[in-house]
Amino acid sequence: MRNPIIVGNWKMNLLLEEATHLALSLVRELDGIEAGEVVICPPYTSLSEVSKRISGSSIRLGAQNMHWEDRGAYTGEISPQFLLDIGCQYVIIGHSERRQQFGETGEVVNRKAKSAVSKGIIPIVCVGETLFERKEGKTEEVVRRGVEASLKGISREEIVKVVIAYEPVWAIGTGNTASPEDANAVHRLIRQVLTHLYDEEVAQEVRIQYGGSVTPENIEGIMKEPEIDGALVGGASIQSGSFVKIIKTAMKARSRK
Ligand code: PGA
Protein backbone atom coordinates (compact mmCIF):
# COMPACT_ATOMS: atom_id res chain seq x y z
CA MET A 1 0.00 0.00 0.00
CA ARG A 2 1.26 3.48 -0.89
CA ASN A 3 2.20 5.63 2.09
CA PRO A 4 0.00 8.75 2.13
CA ILE A 5 1.79 12.09 1.81
CA ILE A 6 0.51 15.53 2.76
CA VAL A 7 2.67 18.46 1.69
CA GLY A 8 2.32 22.07 2.82
CA ASN A 9 3.46 24.63 0.26
CA TRP A 10 3.90 27.87 2.18
CA LYS A 11 4.67 29.79 -1.03
CA MET A 12 5.95 33.36 -0.47
CA ASN A 13 4.42 33.65 2.99
CA LEU A 14 5.59 33.85 6.62
CA LEU A 15 8.57 35.79 7.90
CA LEU A 16 11.24 33.91 9.82
CA GLU A 17 9.60 34.21 13.21
CA GLU A 18 6.17 33.24 11.88
CA ALA A 19 7.68 30.29 10.05
CA THR A 20 9.51 28.91 13.07
CA HIS A 21 6.42 29.45 15.18
CA LEU A 22 4.29 27.45 12.74
CA ALA A 23 6.91 24.69 12.55
CA LEU A 24 7.01 24.35 16.34
CA SER A 25 3.26 24.30 16.56
CA LEU A 26 3.05 21.52 13.95
CA VAL A 27 5.67 19.48 15.81
CA ARG A 28 3.61 19.79 18.97
CA GLU A 29 0.26 19.04 17.38
CA LEU A 30 1.44 16.06 15.39
CA ASP A 31 3.51 14.48 18.14
CA GLY A 32 2.63 10.81 18.49
CA ILE A 33 0.07 10.91 15.70
CA GLU A 34 0.16 8.36 12.92
CA ALA A 35 0.28 10.89 10.10
CA GLY A 36 1.79 9.14 7.06
CA GLU A 37 4.38 11.41 5.51
CA VAL A 38 4.07 15.11 6.30
CA VAL A 39 6.29 17.58 4.46
CA ILE A 40 6.47 21.34 4.89
CA CYS A 41 7.94 23.63 2.25
CA PRO A 42 8.81 27.05 3.70
CA PRO A 43 10.44 29.86 1.69
CA TYR A 44 14.22 29.56 1.27
CA THR A 45 14.93 32.16 3.94
CA SER A 46 13.43 30.08 6.73
CA LEU A 47 14.39 26.57 5.56
CA SER A 48 17.41 26.39 7.80
CA GLU A 49 15.66 27.50 10.99
CA VAL A 50 12.60 25.39 10.29
CA SER A 51 14.90 22.45 9.68
CA LYS A 52 16.28 22.84 13.23
CA ARG A 53 12.81 23.17 14.75
CA ILE A 54 11.43 20.01 13.16
CA SER A 55 14.54 17.92 13.71
CA GLY A 56 13.72 14.79 15.72
CA SER A 57 10.03 14.96 14.73
CA SER A 58 8.31 13.02 11.96
CA ILE A 59 7.82 16.18 9.87
CA ARG A 60 10.07 16.44 6.83
CA LEU A 61 11.45 19.43 5.02
CA GLY A 62 10.97 20.43 1.40
CA ALA A 63 11.86 23.41 -0.78
CA GLN A 64 9.57 25.09 -3.28
CA ASN A 65 12.03 25.11 -6.15
CA MET A 66 15.68 24.54 -7.03
CA HIS A 67 18.22 24.87 -9.81
CA TRP A 68 19.46 21.71 -11.50
CA GLU A 69 23.19 22.45 -11.20
CA ASP A 70 25.20 21.99 -8.01
CA ARG A 71 27.07 25.30 -8.11
CA GLY A 72 28.24 28.04 -10.40
CA ALA A 73 27.37 31.39 -11.92
CA TYR A 74 23.59 31.26 -11.47
CA THR A 75 22.80 34.45 -9.61
CA GLY A 76 19.83 34.14 -7.31
CA GLU A 77 19.51 30.37 -7.61
CA ILE A 78 19.64 27.60 -5.02
CA SER A 79 21.14 24.21 -5.82
CA PRO A 80 20.31 20.66 -4.72
CA GLN A 81 23.53 20.60 -2.69
CA PHE A 82 22.42 23.63 -0.71
CA LEU A 83 19.09 21.98 0.00
CA LEU A 84 20.71 18.74 1.14
CA ASP A 85 23.10 20.73 3.28
CA ILE A 86 20.27 22.04 5.46
CA GLY A 87 18.24 18.84 5.61
CA CYS A 88 15.78 19.13 2.72
CA GLN A 89 14.52 15.77 1.55
CA TYR A 90 11.88 17.00 -0.90
CA VAL A 91 11.49 19.72 -3.48
CA ILE A 92 8.44 20.96 -5.36
CA ILE A 93 9.23 21.03 -9.07
CA GLY A 94 7.25 22.67 -11.87
CA HIS A 95 4.54 24.28 -9.78
CA SER A 96 2.11 26.04 -12.12
CA GLU A 97 3.03 29.38 -10.57
CA ARG A 98 6.62 28.81 -11.67
CA ARG A 99 5.55 27.65 -15.09
CA GLN A 100 3.16 30.54 -15.64
CA GLN A 101 4.93 33.43 -13.92
CA PHE A 102 8.58 32.45 -14.31
CA GLY A 103 8.51 30.81 -17.70
CA GLU A 104 9.51 27.30 -16.61
CA THR A 105 9.17 25.01 -19.58
CA GLY A 106 8.66 21.26 -19.63
CA GLU A 107 12.36 20.91 -20.41
CA VAL A 108 13.42 22.96 -17.38
CA VAL A 109 11.05 21.01 -15.15
CA ASN A 110 12.55 17.78 -16.47
CA ARG A 111 16.12 18.95 -15.80
CA LYS A 112 15.20 19.87 -12.24
CA ALA A 113 13.33 16.62 -11.60
CA LYS A 114 16.22 14.55 -12.97
CA SER A 115 18.74 16.50 -10.93
CA ALA A 116 16.70 16.07 -7.74
CA VAL A 117 16.34 12.29 -8.02
CA SER A 118 19.99 11.86 -8.95
CA LYS A 119 20.97 13.76 -5.78
CA GLY A 120 18.60 11.82 -3.55
CA ILE A 121 16.02 14.59 -3.12
CA ILE A 122 12.42 13.54 -3.74
CA PRO A 123 10.85 15.77 -6.38
CA ILE A 124 7.16 16.57 -6.10
CA VAL A 125 6.45 17.10 -9.77
CA CYS A 126 3.38 19.22 -10.53
CA VAL A 127 1.17 18.85 -13.59
CA GLY A 128 -2.29 20.17 -14.39
CA GLU A 129 -4.50 21.85 -16.94
CA THR A 130 -5.74 25.43 -17.11
CA LEU A 131 -9.43 26.28 -17.14
CA PHE A 132 -9.25 27.02 -20.86
CA GLU A 133 -7.67 23.64 -21.55
CA ARG A 134 -10.29 21.88 -19.45
CA LYS A 135 -13.12 23.66 -21.27
CA GLU A 136 -11.56 22.71 -24.59
CA GLY A 137 -11.58 19.06 -23.49
CA LYS A 138 -7.80 18.93 -23.41
CA THR A 139 -7.24 17.84 -19.80
CA GLU A 140 -6.08 14.33 -20.73
CA GLU A 141 -3.73 15.51 -23.43
CA VAL A 142 -2.19 18.27 -21.29
CA VAL A 143 -1.70 16.03 -18.27
CA ARG A 144 -0.27 13.20 -20.37
CA ARG A 145 2.17 15.54 -22.10
CA GLY A 146 3.09 17.16 -18.77
CA VAL A 147 3.90 13.83 -17.14
CA GLU A 148 5.84 12.54 -20.14
CA ALA A 149 7.91 15.72 -20.50
CA SER A 150 8.68 15.97 -16.78
CA LEU A 151 9.85 12.38 -16.41
CA LYS A 152 11.94 12.01 -19.54
CA GLY A 153 15.17 10.14 -18.77
CA ILE A 154 14.19 9.19 -15.22
CA SER A 155 14.99 5.53 -14.64
CA ARG A 156 12.73 2.84 -13.28
CA GLU A 157 14.70 2.81 -10.01
CA GLU A 158 14.36 6.57 -9.65
CA ILE A 159 10.72 7.00 -10.65
CA VAL A 160 9.34 5.04 -7.71
CA LYS A 161 10.66 7.73 -5.38
CA VAL A 162 9.07 10.59 -7.33
CA VAL A 163 5.80 12.09 -6.10
CA ILE A 164 3.46 13.47 -8.75
CA ALA A 165 1.04 16.27 -7.83
CA TYR A 166 -2.02 16.69 -10.01
CA GLU A 167 -2.92 20.35 -9.64
CA PRO A 168 -5.58 21.71 -11.96
CA VAL A 169 -4.42 25.31 -12.41
CA TRP A 170 -7.97 26.65 -12.11
CA ALA A 171 -8.30 25.11 -8.65
CA ILE A 172 -5.18 26.68 -7.13
CA GLY A 173 -5.95 29.42 -4.63
CA THR A 174 -9.42 29.91 -6.09
CA GLY A 175 -11.65 27.97 -3.73
CA ASN A 176 -12.75 25.81 -6.67
CA THR A 177 -11.75 22.19 -6.33
CA ALA A 178 -12.02 19.39 -8.79
CA SER A 179 -14.68 16.95 -7.61
CA PRO A 180 -13.05 13.93 -5.94
CA GLU A 181 -14.34 11.76 -8.80
CA ASP A 182 -12.88 14.02 -11.50
CA ALA A 183 -9.57 14.27 -9.67
CA ASN A 184 -9.50 10.49 -9.25
CA ALA A 185 -10.08 10.03 -12.99
CA VAL A 186 -7.04 12.19 -13.79
CA HIS A 187 -4.96 10.29 -11.21
CA ARG A 188 -6.00 7.08 -12.95
CA LEU A 189 -4.92 8.57 -16.26
CA ILE A 190 -1.52 9.44 -14.77
CA ARG A 191 -1.14 5.79 -13.69
CA GLN A 192 -1.92 4.74 -17.26
CA VAL A 193 0.81 7.08 -18.52
CA LEU A 194 3.22 5.58 -15.97
CA THR A 195 2.28 2.07 -17.12
CA HIS A 196 3.02 3.11 -20.67
CA LEU A 197 6.35 4.78 -19.77
CA TYR A 198 7.48 2.11 -17.28
CA ASP A 199 5.17 -0.74 -16.28
CA GLU A 200 2.13 -1.62 -14.20
CA GLU A 201 4.16 -2.23 -11.05
CA VAL A 202 5.68 1.25 -11.21
CA ALA A 203 2.27 2.77 -11.90
CA GLN A 204 0.91 1.17 -8.74
CA GLU A 205 3.87 2.23 -6.64
CA VAL A 206 4.26 5.92 -7.50
CA ARG A 207 2.42 8.27 -5.20
CA ILE A 208 0.12 10.81 -6.79
CA GLN A 209 -1.38 13.61 -4.75
CA TYR A 210 -4.06 16.18 -5.50
CA GLY A 211 -3.59 19.92 -5.08
CA GLY A 212 -5.85 22.92 -5.51
CA SER A 213 -7.92 24.57 -2.77
CA VAL A 214 -7.65 21.63 -0.39
CA THR A 215 -9.30 22.44 2.96
CA PRO A 216 -10.20 20.61 6.19
CA GLU A 217 -13.72 20.36 4.74
CA ASN A 218 -12.98 18.72 1.41
CA ILE A 219 -9.95 16.55 2.25
CA GLU A 220 -12.02 13.57 3.38
CA GLY A 221 -13.75 13.13 0.03
CA ILE A 222 -10.47 13.55 -1.82
CA MET A 223 -8.60 10.98 0.29
CA LYS A 224 -11.34 8.39 -0.04
CA GLU A 225 -10.66 8.10 -3.76
CA PRO A 226 -8.63 4.99 -4.54
CA GLU A 227 -5.99 6.57 -6.79
CA ILE A 228 -5.30 9.63 -4.61
CA ASP A 229 -2.45 9.25 -2.14
CA GLY A 230 -2.34 12.66 -0.53
CA ALA A 231 -2.55 16.39 -1.02
CA LEU A 232 -0.40 19.38 -1.87
CA VAL A 233 -1.86 22.12 0.28
CA GLY A 234 -1.20 25.84 -0.23
CA GLY A 235 -3.34 28.40 1.59
CA ALA A 236 -4.61 26.01 4.26
CA SER A 237 -1.07 24.92 5.17
CA ILE A 238 0.11 28.21 6.64
CA GLN A 239 -2.10 27.93 9.69
CA SER A 240 -1.41 25.20 12.16
CA GLY A 241 -5.10 24.52 12.92
CA SER A 242 -6.23 23.94 9.35
CA PHE A 243 -3.13 22.01 8.29
CA VAL A 244 -3.28 19.67 11.30
CA LYS A 245 -6.98 19.10 10.68
CA ILE A 246 -6.28 18.25 7.05
CA ILE A 247 -3.59 15.75 8.09
CA LYS A 248 -5.72 14.09 10.75
CA THR A 249 -8.80 13.87 8.53
CA ALA A 250 -6.73 12.57 5.63
CA MET A 251 -5.25 9.78 7.71
CA LYS A 252 -8.64 8.77 9.06
CA ALA A 253 -10.20 8.71 5.60
CA ARG A 254 -7.22 6.79 4.34
CA SER A 255 -7.52 4.05 6.91
CA ARG A 256 -11.14 3.53 5.89
CA LYS A 257 -10.30 3.07 2.20
P1 PGA B 1 -3.97 26.19 -2.68
O1 PGA B 1 -2.55 25.97 -3.38
O2 PGA B 1 -4.17 25.06 -1.71
O3 PGA B 1 -3.85 27.53 -2.00
O4 PGA B 1 -4.99 26.18 -3.76
C1 PGA B 1 -2.11 24.70 -3.76
C2 PGA B 1 -0.78 24.79 -4.44
O5 PGA B 1 -0.53 25.79 -5.12
O6 PGA B 1 0.08 23.91 -4.30
Side-chain angles (χ1 to χ4, degrees):
M1 197 159 125
R2 298 179 294 263
N3 192 20
I5 175 165
I6 305 288
V7 181
N9 174 11
W10 294 3
K11 307 195 180 184
M12 198 171 74
N13 294 297
L14 305 182
L15 298 176
L16 187 56
E17 202 184 322
E18 299 167 313
T20 50
H21 194 263
L22 175 56
L24 284 175
S25 165
L26 292 174
V27 168
R28 217 173 24 241
E29 296 291 327
L30 296 174
D31 185 33
I33 284 171
E34 179 49 62
E37 231 163 288
V38 175
V39 182
I40 51 177
C41 303
Y44 286 141
T45 49
S46 43
L47 277 177
S48 185
E49 283 301 316
V50 167
S51 179
K52 289 178 204 154
R53 300 309 197 282
I54 61 175
S55 138
S57 80
S58 60
I59 303 172
R60 305 191 184 165
L61 191 67
Q64 299 173 17
N65 180 33
M66 66 166 215
H67 196 273
W68 57 88
E69 294 288 351
D70 269 344
R71 56 164 60 87
Y74 302 100
T75 302
E77 292 292 323
I78 295 291
S79 88
Q81 273 198 341
F82 294 177
L83 297 184
L84 287 169
D85 192 31
I86 52 161
C88 268
Q89 293 175 279
Y90 297 76
V91 61
I92 299 172
I93 297 288
H95 190 280
S96 65
E97 285 153 16
R98 297 222 50 90
R99 293 178 191 256
Q100 292 195 324
Q101 300 172 37
F102 304 97
E104 277 192 17
T105 60
E107 196 196 325
V108 166
V109 170
N110 177 237
R111 275 192 205 182
K112 293 182 174 187
K114 269 200 302 205
S115 169
V117 281
S118 75
K119 303 281 163 22
I121 302 177
I122 298 175
I124 299 159
V125 177
C126 305
V127 293
E129 80 288 359
T130 62
L131 187 56
F132 178 75
E133 289 162 342
R134 172 158 283 248
K135 282 188 175 156
E136 294 278 294
K138 293 201 169 130
T139 300
E140 277 203 14
E141 184 192 327
V142 170
V143 171
R144 175 176 290 113
R145 263 195 285 118
V147 173
E148 287 173 353
S150 307
L151 303 182
K152 223 177 263 173
I154 292 183
S155 70
R156 195 181 184 284
E157 289 66 42
E158 291 169 331
I159 183 64
V160 288
K161 293 178 208 130
V162 172
V163 175
I164 297 176
Y166 167 56
E167 295 210 305
V169 179
W170 50 271
I172 296 175
T174 58
N176 302 319
T177 29
S179 71
E181 298 75 23
D182 283 353
N184 191 62
V186 179
H187 282 61
R188 193 179 307 117
L189 165 79
I190 294 172
R191 294 203 195 281
Q192 282 164 9
V193 178
L194 290 170
T195 304
H196 181 71
L197 293 176
Y198 301 92
D199 55 43
E200 175 67 22
E201 205 184 321
V202 164
Q204 288 310 317
E205 212 173 314
V206 171
R207 289 177 300 167
I208 310 175
Q209 54 176 195
Y210 169 81
S213 296
V214 171
T215 63
E217 289 70 41
N218 61 26
I219 184 69
E220 186 178 1
I222 292 165
M223 286 303 287
K224 277 185 176 164
E225 293 295 330
E227 307 299 346
I228 303 182
D229 305 314
L232 178 50
V233 187
S237 75
I238 57 174
Q239 276 174 347
S240 179
S242 50
F243 194 50
V244 167
K245 201 152 177 220
I246 286 173
I247 293 162
K248 288 183 178 170
T249 311
M251 294 311 143
K252 217 182 284 168
R254 175 75 192 195
S255 61
R256 280 196 239 108
K257 249 196 224 182

